[in-house]
PDB file of all heavy atoms in Angstrom:
ATOM      1  N   GLY A1187    -205.428  39.455 -95.601  1.00 94.00           N
ATOM      2  CA  GLY A1187    -205.235  39.436 -97.002  1.00 94.00           C
ATOM      3  C   GLY A1187    -204.568  38.182 -97.600  1.00 94.00           C
ATOM      4  O   GLY A1187    -204.271  37.231 -96.907  1.00 94.00           O
ATOM      5  N   ARG A1188    -204.266  38.246 -98.898  1.00 93.00           N
ATOM      6  CA  ARG A1188    -203.863  37.068 -99.637  1.00 93.00           C
ATOM      7  C   ARG A1188    -202.422  36.620 -99.223  1.00 93.00           C
ATOM      8  O   ARG A1188    -202.027  35.526 -99.596  1.00 93.00           O
ATOM      9  CB  ARG A1188    -203.887  37.342-101.157  1.00 93.00           C
ATOM     10  CG  ARG A1188    -202.874  38.325-101.657  1.00 93.00           C
ATOM     11  CD  ARG A1188    -203.057  38.540-103.190  1.00 93.00           C
ATOM     12  NE  ARG A1188    -203.080  37.253-103.877  1.00 93.00           N
ATOM     13  CZ  ARG A1188    -201.990  36.624-104.278  1.00 93.00           C
ATOM     14  NH1 ARG A1188    -200.815  37.121-104.003  1.00 93.00           N
ATOM     15  NH2 ARG A1188    -202.117  35.516-104.954  1.00 93.00           N
ATOM     16  N   ASN A1189    -201.682  37.429 -98.527  1.00 93.00           N
ATOM     17  CA  ASN A1189    -200.343  36.943 -98.077  1.00 93.00           C
ATOM     18  C   ASN A1189    -200.417  36.127 -96.787  1.00 93.00           C
ATOM     19  O   ASN A1189    -199.361  35.740 -96.270  1.00 93.00           O
ATOM     20  CB  ASN A1189    -199.407  38.196 -97.907  1.00 93.00           C
ATOM     21  CG  ASN A1189    -198.902  38.727 -99.133  1.00 93.00           C
ATOM     22  OD1 ASN A1189    -198.718  38.013-100.110  1.00 93.00           O
ATOM     23  ND2 ASN A1189    -198.663  40.057 -99.181  1.00 93.00           N
ATOM     24  N   CYS A1190    -201.629  36.016 -96.256  1.00 96.00           N
ATOM     25  CA  CYS A1190    -201.855  35.325 -94.966  1.00 96.00           C
ATOM     26  C   CYS A1190    -202.508  33.988 -95.222  1.00 96.00           C
ATOM     27  O   CYS A1190    -203.651  33.904 -95.682  1.00 96.00           O
ATOM     28  CB  CYS A1190    -202.677  36.142 -94.041  1.00 96.00           C
ATOM     29  SG  CYS A1190    -202.964  35.357 -92.447  1.00 96.00           S
ATOM     30  N   GLU A1191    -201.824  32.890 -94.935  1.00 97.00           N
ATOM     31  CA  GLU A1191    -202.342  31.569 -95.068  1.00 97.00           C
ATOM     32  C   GLU A1191    -202.671  30.976 -93.680  1.00 97.00           C
ATOM     33  O   GLU A1191    -201.962  31.247 -92.689  1.00 97.00           O
ATOM     34  CB  GLU A1191    -201.271  30.652 -95.699  1.00 97.00           C
ATOM     35  CG  GLU A1191    -201.557  29.182 -95.667  1.00 97.00           C
ATOM     36  CD  GLU A1191    -200.359  28.329 -96.098  1.00 97.00           C
ATOM     37  OE1 GLU A1191    -199.511  28.012 -95.213  1.00 97.00           O
ATOM     38  OE2 GLU A1191    -200.267  28.008 -97.288  1.00 97.00           O
ATOM     39  N   VAL A1192    -203.846  30.323 -93.591  1.00 98.00           N
ATOM     40  CA  VAL A1192    -204.214  29.743 -92.323  1.00 98.00           C
ATOM     41  C   VAL A1192    -204.517  28.232 -92.530  1.00 98.00           C
ATOM     42  O   VAL A1192    -205.247  27.856 -93.525  1.00 98.00           O
ATOM     43  CB  VAL A1192    -205.489  30.382 -91.709  1.00 98.00           C
ATOM     44  CG1 VAL A1192    -205.767  29.864 -90.343  1.00 98.00           C
ATOM     45  CG2 VAL A1192    -205.303  31.910 -91.660  1.00 98.00           C
ATOM     46  N   VAL A1193    -203.930  27.428 -91.712  1.00 98.00           N
ATOM     47  CA  VAL A1193    -204.051  25.962 -91.905  1.00 98.00           C
ATOM     48  C   VAL A1193    -204.569  25.281 -90.614  1.00 98.00           C
ATOM     49  O   VAL A1193    -204.121  25.681 -89.490  1.00 98.00           O
ATOM     50  CB  VAL A1193    -202.654  25.307 -92.218  1.00 98.00           C
ATOM     51  CG1 VAL A1193    -202.814  23.800 -92.424  1.00 98.00           C
ATOM     52  CG2 VAL A1193    -202.093  25.980 -93.472  1.00 98.00           C
ATOM     53  N   ILE A1194    -205.493  24.407 -90.714  1.00 98.00           N
ATOM     54  CA  ILE A1194    -205.966  23.642 -89.611  1.00 98.00           C
ATOM     55  C   ILE A1194    -205.451  22.228 -89.681  1.00 98.00           C
ATOM     56  O   ILE A1194    -205.652  21.563 -90.730  1.00 98.00           O
ATOM     57  CB  ILE A1194    -207.536  23.595 -89.539  1.00 98.00           C
ATOM     58  CG1 ILE A1194    -208.058  25.064 -89.400  1.00 98.00           C
ATOM     59  CG2 ILE A1194    -208.011  22.775 -88.341  1.00 98.00           C
ATOM     60  CD1 ILE A1194    -209.582  25.123 -89.455  1.00 98.00           C
ATOM     61  N   HIS A1195    -204.859  21.686 -88.595  1.00 97.00           N
ATOM     62  CA  HIS A1195    -204.364  20.321 -88.545  1.00 97.00           C
ATOM     63  C   HIS A1195    -205.221  19.433 -87.623  1.00 97.00           C
ATOM     64  O   HIS A1195    -205.574  19.904 -86.568  1.00 97.00           O
ATOM     65  CB  HIS A1195    -202.925  20.279 -88.036  1.00 97.00           C
ATOM     66  CG  HIS A1195    -201.868  20.880 -89.013  1.00 97.00           C
ATOM     67  ND1 HIS A1195    -201.272  20.156 -89.954  1.00 97.00           N
ATOM     68  CD2 HIS A1195    -201.436  22.134 -89.084  1.00 97.00           C
ATOM     69  CE1 HIS A1195    -200.408  20.909 -90.592  1.00 97.00           C
ATOM     70  NE2 HIS A1195    -200.484  22.110 -90.136  1.00 97.00           N
ATOM     71  N   ASP A1196    -205.487  18.241 -88.094  1.00 96.00           N
ATOM     72  CA  ASP A1196    -206.052  17.212 -87.229  1.00 96.00           C
ATOM     73  C   ASP A1196    -204.943  16.330 -86.786  1.00 96.00           C
ATOM     74  O   ASP A1196    -204.513  15.450 -87.543  1.00 96.00           O
ATOM     75  CB  ASP A1196    -207.160  16.442 -88.000  1.00 96.00           C
ATOM     76  CG  ASP A1196    -207.861  15.448 -87.143  1.00 96.00           C
ATOM     77  OD1 ASP A1196    -207.361  15.159 -85.983  1.00 96.00           O
ATOM     78  OD2 ASP A1196    -208.878  14.894 -87.596  1.00 96.00           O
ATOM     79  N   LEU A1197    -204.505  16.461 -85.558  1.00 96.00           N
ATOM     80  CA  LEU A1197    -203.340  15.719 -85.089  1.00 96.00           C
ATOM     81  C   LEU A1197    -203.734  14.329 -84.600  1.00 96.00           C
ATOM     82  O   LEU A1197    -202.842  13.560 -84.171  1.00 96.00           O
ATOM     83  CB  LEU A1197    -202.625  16.485 -83.978  1.00 96.00           C
ATOM     84  CG  LEU A1197    -201.977  17.794 -84.470  1.00 96.00           C
ATOM     85  CD1 LEU A1197    -201.370  18.543 -83.264  1.00 96.00           C
ATOM     86  CD2 LEU A1197    -200.969  17.529 -85.582  1.00 96.00           C
ATOM     87  N   THR A1198    -204.969  13.933 -84.770  1.00 94.00           N
ATOM     88  CA  THR A1198    -205.315  12.540 -84.453  1.00 94.00           C
ATOM     89  C   THR A1198    -205.006  11.619 -85.676  1.00 94.00           C
ATOM     90  O   THR A1198    -205.011  10.445 -85.588  1.00 94.00           O
ATOM     91  CB  THR A1198    -206.853  12.354 -84.131  1.00 94.00           C
ATOM     92  OG1 THR A1198    -207.613  12.713 -85.261  1.00 94.00           O
ATOM     93  CG2 THR A1198    -207.225  13.287 -82.953  1.00 94.00           C
ATOM     94  N   VAL A1199    -204.715  12.307 -86.831  1.00 94.00           N
ATOM     95  CA  VAL A1199    -204.233  11.590 -88.013  1.00 94.00           C
ATOM     96  C   VAL A1199    -202.994  12.277 -88.516  1.00 94.00           C
ATOM     97  O   VAL A1199    -202.988  12.996 -89.528  1.00 94.00           O
ATOM     98  CB  VAL A1199    -205.318  11.564 -89.117  1.00 94.00           C
ATOM     99  CG1 VAL A1199    -206.412  10.556 -88.811  1.00 94.00           C
ATOM    100  CG2 VAL A1199    -205.955  12.940 -89.309  1.00 94.00           C
ATOM    101  N   PRO A1200    -201.849  12.068 -87.827  1.00 94.00           N
ATOM    102  CA  PRO A1200    -200.606  12.869 -88.088  1.00 94.00           C
ATOM    103  C   PRO A1200    -200.093  12.774 -89.498  1.00 94.00           C
ATOM    104  O   PRO A1200    -199.587  13.740 -90.021  1.00 94.00           O
ATOM    105  CB  PRO A1200    -199.629  12.254 -87.071  1.00 94.00           C
ATOM    106  CG  PRO A1200    -200.465  11.665 -85.981  1.00 94.00           C
ATOM    107  CD  PRO A1200    -201.704  11.158 -86.623  1.00 94.00           C
TER     108      PRO A1200
END
Side-chain angles (χ1 to χ4, degrees):
R1188 70 182 309 275
N1189 284 328
C1190 180
E1191 172 189 85
V1192 187
V1193 181
I1194 300 174
H1195 290 271
D1196 182 349
L1197 295 177
T1198 66
V1199 284

